[in-house]
Amino acid sequence: MIRELYNCLIQGMDAPNAGSRRMKEEILHLLKEEERRLPRQEYESYRDKAFLVASAAEEHGFELGFCYAVRLLAECAREQV
């Protein structure tokens, strides 16, 4: 269910947000040496895998943050009673 929510939020964005742009810039910066060293096709495969890993990590971070927020909200609700 959380994954579906994440996917809906991502698909609803018209343009990449600042976080996505920073992530892309950071990945490309980290791969500068590989871009110079590797053949183009091999570099692109390597780069694409780096973006897939970053995307999976971003989604996992969203899930963890969501679960934490729900626990925090439940704790606050218990304290109100």
Side-chain angles (χ1 to χ4, degrees), residues 15-27:
N17 62 23
S20 295
R21 282 193 302 275
R22 281 193 308 273
M23 182 176 64
K24 178 181 178 181
E25 290 169 1
E26 182 66 22
I27 289 170

Side-chain angles (χ1 to χ4, degrees), residues 2-44:
I2 298 171
R3 179 170 286 151
E4 291 174 17
L5 176 60
Y6 175 79
N7 288 330
C8 287
L9 288 171
I10 293 298
Q11 290 174 3
M13 289 186 204
D14 291 334
N17 62 23
S20 295
R21 282 193 302 275
R22 281 193 308 273
M23 182 176 64
K24 178 181 178 181
E25 290 169 1
E26 182 66 22
I27 289 170
L28 294 177
H29 175 73
L30 291 169
L31 295 178
K32 278 293 181 194
E33 180 61 31
E34 285 74 13
E35 185 178 20
R36 287 188 286 269
R37 186 174 53 84
L38 297 173
R40 185 78 179 155
Q41 190 172 7
E42 190 175 344
Y43 164 74
E44 288 175 353

Side-chain angles (χ1 to χ4, degrees), residues 49-77:
K49 288 176 185 172
F51 279 111
L52 287 172
V53 168
S55 179
E58 186 177 64
E59 182 177 336
H60 183 67
F62 177 87
E63 290 175 13
L64 290 174
F66 186 89
C67 290
Y68 177 77
V70 168
R71 283 195 309 265
L72 185 61
L73 184 62
E75 185 178 319
C76 290

